[in-house]
Amino acid sequence: MNEVMALACQVSEEEYQARQSTLSCYDVVNMQYTSGTTGFPKGVMLTHHNIANNGYWIGANQNLGPNDKVCLPVPLFHCFGCVLGVMACITTARRWSS
């Protein structure tokens, strides 16, 4: 987490505010493709809100705490890896650090 926060020093506050003003949490940030088990594979457009909200509630409903560890044997580009694995852990860490 410290490495990610350190990257913030590379962007000025003005640049950050200008970029932030052009974005919405409902903008599409991730495109996942279904496996096609119910037909032809489709692209699913996921928003930041969708991914963060799902990750938060997955972690909350599993009662993940600051000392828990998550074993994630799926790729991070897979929806399970991205949302359940990464975002559930990040939003759980944020929930406990507040």
Side-chain angles (χ1 to χ4, degrees), residues 27-93:
D27 290 340
V28 173
V29 295
N30 191 331
M31 185 126 172
Q32 299 279 329
Y33 283 89
T34 66
S35 63
T37 55
T38 60
F40 191 75
K42 301 171 253 336
V44 178
M45 299 184 296
L46 303 174
T47 67
H48 177 80
H49 179 267
N50 169 256
I51 293 170
N53 193 50
N54 285 348
Y56 175 86
W57 286 109
I58 287 167
N61 284 305
Q62 289 184 343
N63 295 315
L64 292 178
N67 297 317
D68 289 325
K69 293 175 178 45
V70 174
C71 177
L72 192 62
V74 296
L76 297 180
F77 62 80
H78 188 278
C79 201
F80 181 102
C82 173
V83 177
L84 175 63
V86 176
M87 292 309 295
C89 292
I90 289 172
T91 57
T92 295

